């Protein structure tokens, strides 16, 4: 093999290895359509009381803040139950209206942990907001942080 052929093979192999390495790591940033870098933000930190108050004050504005957003929420468990499709969830005390306490449905991997929770227990969850459903703030895909 001549030197040109060896160089071409070496360069091709290097590019392939770099491509594989970069595919195995999640991106640390995102880019907009005009190629500007967007830094990923840490999840919003909030409480069940703040969520309940914001939804009571203005559900549209609260949806704009929480819906489809990952956030960490702390609160005291008001109820442990299952929804209509038998998924375990917790309601956290919000202090606004007990019939409209924010509800948090667990992701599949956390469902067994839901059976261990108790009313009155303090908890911290990471969830994705699902918005206002029948005047109740909802979140899903929750995992227990503490």
């Amino acid at each position: 093999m001549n030197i040109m052929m060896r160089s071409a093979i070496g360069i091709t192999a290097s590019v392939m290895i770099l491509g594989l390495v970069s595919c195995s790591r999640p991106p640390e940033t995102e880019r907009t359509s005009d190629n500007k870098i967007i830094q990923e933000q840490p999840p919003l930190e909030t409480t069940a009381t703040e969520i309940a108050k914001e939804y009571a004050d203005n559900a549209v504005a609260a949806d704009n803040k929480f819906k489809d957003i990952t956030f960490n929420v702390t609160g005291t468990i008001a109820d442990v139950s299952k929804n209509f499709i038998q998924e375990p969830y917790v309601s956290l005390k919000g202090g606004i209206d007990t019939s409209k306490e924010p509800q948090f449905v667990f992701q599949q991997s956390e469902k067994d942990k839901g059976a261990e929770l108790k009313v009155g227990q303090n908890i911290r969850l990471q969830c994705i907001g699902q918005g206002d459903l029948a005047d109740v703030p909802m979140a899903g895909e929750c995992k227990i942080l503490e």
Side-chain angles (χ1 to χ4, degrees), residues 23-43:
C23 288
S24 66
R25 286 187 287 164
E28 296 175 8
T29 59
E30 292 182 36
R31 293 187 180 267
T32 62
S33 59
D34 58 352
N35 212 24
K36 291 182 182 174
I37 295 176
I38 301 171
Q39 295 291 335
E40 287 187 26
Q41 299 294 323

Side-chain angles (χ1 to χ4, degrees), residues 9-77:
I9 291 172
I11 291 171
T12 302
S14 297
V15 169
M16 288 175 60
I17 290 170
L18 285 174
L20 290 172
V21 169
S22 66
C23 288
S24 66
R25 286 187 287 164
E28 296 175 8
T29 59
E30 292 182 36
R31 293 187 180 267
T32 62
S33 59
D34 58 352
N35 212 24
K36 291 182 182 174
I37 295 176
I38 301 171
Q39 295 291 335
E40 287 187 26
Q41 299 294 323
L44 172 71
E45 294 287 339
T46 190
T47 66
T49 302
E50 289 172 10
I51 291 172
K53 181 176 181 341
E54 291 199 37
Y55 273 95
D57 290 347
N58 183 332
V60 174
D63 268 358
N64 288 340
K65 182 174 181 179
F66 296 108
K67 189 173 182 181
D68 299 322
I69 302 297
T70 299
F71 58 85
N72 296 340
V73 58
T74 55
T76 303
I77 298 174

Side-chain angles (χ1 to χ4, degrees), residues 83 87-90 103-107 130 138-142:
N83 62 19
E87 295 175 317
Y89 72 89
V90 292
Q103 295 180 3
F104 305 89
V105 179
F106 295 104
Q107 61 182 285
Q130 295 178 328
M138 304 287 291
E141 294 299 314
C142 297

